[in-house]
Amino acid sequence: KHPGGPSLLLFVHGRDATIAVNTAHKDPHKTVYPMLKKYKIESTKKNDEVMKDKLGIPNFLLPPQYNAITDGPTYNFDPKDESLLLNKVRKRIMEKEVQQKIKQIDKAFDSVVIALLVAYFALQYLWLRGFAPSLLVVPILALLRTGIAGGGHYYIHRGGSLLPHGLFDINYVGTCFTGLDGHVLLHHVYTQKDADVKRGFFGGMMGVPRLFRIPAHTLHKLGHMTTGMLIRGYDFETDSDNRENQGVSVKLREKGLSFCNWGFWAMQALLRVELGLAIYCGFFWSWLAQFVLSLWMNTLLVVSSHDFTQIIEPDTKDWARFQLLNAHDMVILGNPWIDCFLGAGLVQHRAHHILPYQKSGWANHYSEKFIEAAVKEAGLPWLPPKNLFTEILPDIINRQLLVPMCDPVSRKQTYPSFAAEHLSPSAWLYTMVYIAKGLSGIGSV
C-alpha cells in the first residue's frame, strides 16, 4: 500500500531510511510519522545486526573504507526548527493554491511526454519507410530520446508502477532497473557523500587513454545495447538478498507483487526491435549515428548539475541548505519549460534536490519562485543558472574526457605523460577488456 510502490521499501531494507523518509515525502510529519506510531518494534537490536555496512550494493561502487553504519550523513529534520531551509520552503509550497497549481502542471507535463512518444514513433515510421532523410532524423531522434528519458526520470521518482519507468532507458544511458535505488535513494539521499554513486558515474572509462576514451566507451555501451543489458537484467531479476544486493525482484515475486520489471524489459525489447528494423531497412549507419549522439548528449547531461570536485559546507546539518549549495541549474535555450525536456529533466536541479518527491520538471520550475523566496529569507545565495554550452560542457569535457588516464576508483594519474599512457601495452589491454565487458553488462549500473 506504499504510495511509492513496494520496491522503494524493499530497497531501503537494512539501511537507515531517515533521510529518505524526511525528504521523499511532501509532508512526512503529517503523513508518515503518525502512521509509524501505530507500529511497535518487538525487540531491539544493535545497528550492526540489522544494517548492511555496504548498503546492499556492489562494493566497488563505494570507497573501500566506507561503512554505512558509522559513516552515513545525519541532518536535522525538526519540523519546529524555523531556521531550516526545508521548513521555510515547505511553508510556501504547501499552500493549498500552490499544490493545486502543481497538480495541473504535472498533468500538462505528462501530456507533453505522451506527445513526444507519439512524435518518436511517427518519426521512426517515416525514417524506416524512407520518407524522412537521415540528416534530419538523427538529431531529432536524439532530442526526442532525451526529452522522453526526462519524463522517465520523474516517473522513477514517483515510484508506483514499474512500466513507465522504462522510459528512463530510452536514451541508452539510464537503467530503470536500478534507478529507484541508485538514483532516487543513493544519489538523492547521499548527494555528494561517499555513497553517492553518481560521483563515480564516469568510472571505468577514466582508466582508458584519453584519445581512446570516447570510442572505447561508445563501443562499451554498444555492447550494453546488444547483449549486456539483457544479461544484467537477468542478474537483477534473479539475484537474492545478500551483502551486495537487495534482492528486490526476487522478493517482489515471492510476495506475488510483480513477476518482473515490465518497464525495463519492454524498453529493452523496443530498442532491439528498432535496431533490427534499421538493419533490415538498410539504415544501420544512421541508427548508429543517432545512437552515438543520444548516448553522449545524455552521458554529459547526467553529470551537468553538480560540481563533483568541490563540496560546499560538507558538515552542515541543514539538508536543504546542503542541496542548494551543491547543485546548480542550467540554461540551454533560455525557455525553462522547453529546456526541461532538452536537459532530460535536469535543468531545474536545485528545486529537484530540495523537493525530490515532486512529479515533474515543470513542477520544479514553478516551485523555484517559492524556493528562491525561502532561500533569500535564509540569507543564502540564489545564483543564476549556468549555461550548458559556455560553462558546463567545457568544464565536464576538461575534467572527464581530456584528463590524463587515471585509476577509475582513486582517480590518481597512472602514467607520467601523454605519450606514456597511449603507448603502454597494459593501457591497451585495459581498453580492450573495458570494451568487451560491455557485452556482459559490466558498467551498466
Side-chain angles (χ1 to χ4, degrees):
K1 293 183 179 181
H2 181 240
S7 296
L8 283 169
L9 294 180
L10 294 172
F11 272 122
V12 297
H13 169 68
R15 302 177 188 169
D16 182 346
T18 303
I19 300 174
V21 166
N22 284 283
T23 62
H25 299 88
K26 188 184 301 183
D27 196 356
H29 290 277
K30 289 185 178 180
T31 56
V32 182
Y33 281 97
M35 182 178 62
L36 292 177
K37 290 180 180 179
K38 299 178 182 178
Y39 296 88
K40 178 182 178 182
I41 299 177
E42 300 250 344
S43 61
T44 58
K45 294 182 178 180
K46 296 180 180 179
N47 283 347
D48 58 5
E49 294 180 283
V50 296
M51 293 179 64
K52 295 186 175 183
D53 61 341
K54 297 294 185 181
L55 298 168
I57 63 175
N59 290 179
F60 73 86
L61 293 172
L62 300 167
Q65 74 281 2
Y66 182 79
N67 186 326
I69 302 171
T70 56
D71 299 337
T74 58
Y75 297 99
N76 177 13
F77 292 108
D78 182 358
K80 297 179 181 180
D81 189 342
E82 296 183 358
S83 69
L84 296 177
L85 179 59
L86 185 58
N87 291 338
K88 294 179 184 295
V89 171
R90 277 182 171 149
K91 181 180 178 181
R92 293 166 168 80
I93 289 291
M94 293 307 298
E95 293 288 339
K96 183 178 179 180
E97 296 78 8
V98 176
Q99 287 300 306
Q100 289 176 341
K101 183 65 175 178
I102 286 176
K103 287 182 179 179
Q104 296 173 359
I105 290 173
D106 288 339
K107 290 180 180 179
F109 179 88
D110 291 343
S111 297
V112 173
V113 174
I114 292 172
L116 291 176
L117 281 168
V118 171
Y120 173 80
F121 286 112
L123 182 62
Q124 291 264 11
Y125 174 81
L126 293 173
W127 171 50
L128 295 174
R129 291 296 302 273
F131 298 142
S134 294
L135 286 177
L136 185 65
V137 169
V138 167
I140 294 178
L141 266 184
L143 291 173
L144 286 172
R145 290 189 190 279
T146 302
I148 294 169
H153 168 209
Y154 284 98
Y155 297 146
I156 285 180
H157 274 275
R158 296 181 192 185
S161 171
L162 298 177
L163 189 58
H165 295 188
L167 298 180
F168 188 58
D169 297 9
I170 201 169
N171 60 5
Y172 307 112
V173 175
T175 309
C176 70
F177 223 128
T178 56
L180 274 176
D181 193 23
H183 180 73
V184 176
L185 294 175
L186 294 176
H187 171 55
H188 277 271
V189 169
Y190 299 100
T191 304
Q192 292 284 45
K193 304 297 184 181
D194 285 340
D196 182 358
V197 296
K198 201 172 185 179
R199 287 170 61 84
F201 177 77
F202 277 93
M205 80 166 82
M206 303 306 293
V208 175
R210 68 195 96 166
L211 286 184
F212 307 150
R213 200 164 289 161
I214 290 179
H217 186 67
T218 302
L219 291 173
H220 175 83
K221 294 297 289 186
L222 194 59
H224 288 176
M225 176 58 219
T226 51
T227 61
M229 292 306 297
L230 301 180
I231 294 172
R232 291 297 287 155
Y234 175 79
D235 290 342
F236 292 139
E237 292 281 13
T238 57
D239 281 348
S240 58
D241 190 350
N242 55 57
R243 192 166 183 265
E244 296 193 58
N245 195 281
Q246 294 293 68
V248 171
S249 292
V250 173
K251 294 174 184 176
L252 289 174
R253 279 196 298 276
E254 290 174 346
K255 297 178 183 295
L257 297 173
S258 178
F259 178 72
C260 67
N261 191 318
W262 298 105
F264 172 84
W265 293 110
M267 182 53 65
Q268 296 305 313
L270 173 64
L271 294 176
R272 282 153 185 79
V273 168
E274 290 175 357
L275 173 57
L277 288 174
I279 294 173
Y280 178 78
C281 296
F283 290 108
F284 171 74
W285 292 110
S286 53
W287 176 91
L288 184 62
Q290 66 83 39
F291 169 82
V292 173
L293 183 58
S294 301
L295 170 67
W296 282 101
M297 278 176 56
N298 287 273
T299 296
L300 296 175
L301 281 171
V302 166
V303 291
S304 64
S305 299
H306 297 280
D307 181 357
F308 291 107
T309 63
Q310 180 184 21
I311 303 176
I312 301 173
E313 295 190 14
D315 298 322
T316 182
K317 298 302 180 183
D318 187 331
W319 183 83
R321 180 188 182 103
F322 183 78
Q323 302 302 315
L324 171 78
L325 297 176
N326 287 282
H328 55 254
D329 298 340
M330 64 178 162
V331 61
I332 301 175
L333 293 181
N335 184 315
W337 305 98
I338 297 175
D339 284 356
C340 174
F341 287 99
L342 293 177
L346 302 172
V347 170
Q348 295 85 12
H349 215 61
R350 288 175 293 186
H352 181 46
H353 267 260
I354 293 172
L355 304 172
Y357 63 83
Q358 294 211 124
K359 297 181 178 181
S360 71
W362 280 8
N364 287 335
H365 172 56
Y366 175 72
S367 301
E368 283 182 317
K369 58 185 177 183
F370 304 105
I371 297 174
E372 180 181 1
V375 166
K376 290 181 176 178
E377 180 189 330
L380 294 169
W382 182 258
L383 301 176
K386 294 184 178 182
N387 187 283
L388 176 65
F389 302 107
T390 62
E391 296 178 87
I392 296 175
L393 287 182
D395 180 56
I396 294 174
I397 291 170
N398 284 329
R399 283 192 289 110
Q400 307 291 356
L401 301 181
L402 300 181
V403 294
M405 177 180 170
C406 58
D407 181 270
V409 178
S410 67
R411 298 298 174 94
K412 293 181 179 179
Q413 186 172 338
T414 50
Y415 290 93
S417 67
F418 179 88
E421 72 177 76
H422 288 87
L423 296 176
S424 167
S426 62
W428 299 345
L429 177 61
Y430 178 92
T431 301
M432 297 304 295
V433 171
Y434 179 72
I435 293 171
K437 282 183 176 180
L439 294 169
S440 62
I442 300 298
S444 61
V445 183

Short mmCIF file of all heavy atoms in Angstrom, two decimals, residues 22-28 31 90 93-94 99 103 357:
data_model
loop_
_atom_site.label_atom_id
_atom_site.label_comp_id
_atom_site.label_asym_id
_atom_site.label_seq_id
_atom_site.Cartn_x
_atom_site.Cartn_y
_atom_site.Cartn_z
N ASN A 22 12.22 11.68 5.33
CA ASN A 22 12.01 13.11 5.56
C ASN A 22 12.10 13.97 4.32
O ASN A 22 11.67 15.13 4.35
CB ASN A 22 13.03 13.62 6.59
CG ASN A 22 12.67 13.22 8.00
OD1 ASN A 22 11.78 13.81 8.61
ND2 ASN A 22 13.35 12.21 8.52
N THR A 23 12.61 13.43 3.23
CA THR A 23 12.76 14.24 2.02
C THR A 23 11.96 13.74 0.82
O THR A 23 11.63 14.52 -0.07
CB THR A 23 14.24 14.33 1.62
OG1 THR A 23 14.74 13.01 1.32
CG2 THR A 23 15.08 14.93 2.73
N ALA A 24 11.67 12.47 0.77
CA ALA A 24 10.95 11.90 -0.37
C ALA A 24 9.43 11.96 -0.20
O ALA A 24 8.70 11.44 -1.03
CB ALA A 24 11.39 10.46 -0.61
N HIS A 25 8.97 12.58 0.88
CA HIS A 25 7.54 12.75 1.13
C HIS A 25 7.23 14.24 1.25
O HIS A 25 8.02 15.00 1.80
CB HIS A 25 7.11 12.01 2.40
CG HIS A 25 7.35 10.54 2.34
ND1 HIS A 25 8.55 9.97 2.73
CD2 HIS A 25 6.56 9.52 1.93
CE1 HIS A 25 8.49 8.66 2.56
NE2 HIS A 25 7.29 8.35 2.08
N LYS A 26 6.08 14.61 0.77
CA LYS A 26 5.70 16.02 0.74
C LYS A 26 5.64 16.63 2.14
O LYS A 26 6.15 17.73 2.37
CB LYS A 26 4.34 16.16 0.05
CG LYS A 26 3.92 17.59 -0.21
CD LYS A 26 2.52 17.63 -0.82
CE LYS A 26 2.44 16.86 -2.12
NZ LYS A 26 1.09 16.96 -2.73
N ASP A 27 5.02 15.96 3.09
CA ASP A 27 4.88 16.46 4.46
C ASP A 27 4.92 15.28 5.43
O ASP A 27 3.90 14.89 6.00
CB ASP A 27 3.56 17.23 4.60
CG ASP A 27 3.54 18.10 5.85
OD1 ASP A 27 4.51 18.04 6.63
OD2 ASP A 27 2.54 18.82 6.04
N PRO A 28 6.10 14.68 5.62
CA PRO A 28 6.20 13.42 6.37
C PRO A 28 5.71 13.50 7.82
O PRO A 28 5.23 12.51 8.35
CB PRO A 28 7.70 13.11 6.32
CG PRO A 28 8.37 14.43 6.09
CD PRO A 28 7.43 15.18 5.21
N THR A 31 2.04 12.85 7.52
CA THR A 31 1.59 11.63 6.83
C THR A 31 2.32 10.38 7.30
O THR A 31 1.69 9.41 7.70
CB THR A 31 1.79 11.80 5.31
OG1 THR A 31 3.17 12.11 5.02
CG2 THR A 31 0.90 12.91 4.76
N ARG A 90 8.84 24.45 2.60
CA ARG A 90 7.57 23.75 2.76
C ARG A 90 6.44 24.70 3.18
O ARG A 90 5.30 24.53 2.76
CB ARG A 90 7.72 22.61 3.77
CG ARG A 90 8.32 21.35 3.17
CD ARG A 90 8.42 20.24 4.18
NE ARG A 90 8.80 18.98 3.52
CZ ARG A 90 9.51 18.02 4.09
NH1 ARG A 90 9.93 18.18 5.34
NH2 ARG A 90 9.79 16.92 3.43
N ILE A 93 5.42 26.11 -0.18
CA ILE A 93 4.99 25.13 -1.17
C ILE A 93 3.68 24.45 -0.78
O ILE A 93 2.87 24.08 -1.64
CB ILE A 93 6.09 24.06 -1.38
CG1 ILE A 93 7.27 24.67 -2.12
CG2 ILE A 93 5.56 22.85 -2.14
CD1 ILE A 93 6.99 25.03 -3.57
N MET A 94 3.44 24.27 0.51
CA MET A 94 2.28 23.52 0.96
C MET A 94 0.99 24.33 0.97
O MET A 94 -0.07 23.82 1.33
CB MET A 94 2.53 22.96 2.36
CG MET A 94 3.62 21.89 2.41
SD MET A 94 3.34 20.55 1.24
CE MET A 94 1.79 19.89 1.85
N GLN A 99 -0.34 23.91 -4.30
CA GLN A 99 -0.46 22.47 -4.56
C GLN A 99 -1.43 22.18 -5.69
O GLN A 99 -1.21 21.28 -6.52
CB GLN A 99 -0.87 21.75 -3.29
CG GLN A 99 0.23 21.65 -2.24
CD GLN A 99 1.44 20.90 -2.75
OE1 GLN A 99 1.34 19.77 -3.22
NE2 GLN A 99 2.60 21.53 -2.68
N LYS A 103 -0.46 20.28 -9.31
CA LYS A 103 -1.17 19.13 -9.87
C LYS A 103 -1.52 19.37 -11.33
O LYS A 103 -1.40 18.48 -12.18
CB LYS A 103 -2.43 18.85 -9.06
CG LYS A 103 -2.16 18.23 -7.69
CD LYS A 103 -3.46 17.93 -6.96
CE LYS A 103 -3.18 17.30 -5.60
NZ LYS A 103 -4.45 17.03 -4.85
N TYR A 357 10.53 14.69 -4.23
CA TYR A 357 9.27 13.95 -4.39
C TYR A 357 8.39 14.53 -5.50
O TYR A 357 7.42 13.91 -5.90
CB TYR A 357 8.48 13.98 -3.07
CG TYR A 357 8.07 15.37 -2.65
CD1 TYR A 357 6.94 15.97 -3.16
CD2 TYR A 357 8.85 16.08 -1.73
CE1 TYR A 357 6.58 17.25 -2.78
CE2 TYR A 357 8.49 17.35 -1.35
CZ TYR A 357 7.36 17.94 -1.88
OH TYR A 357 7.01 19.21 -1.53
#
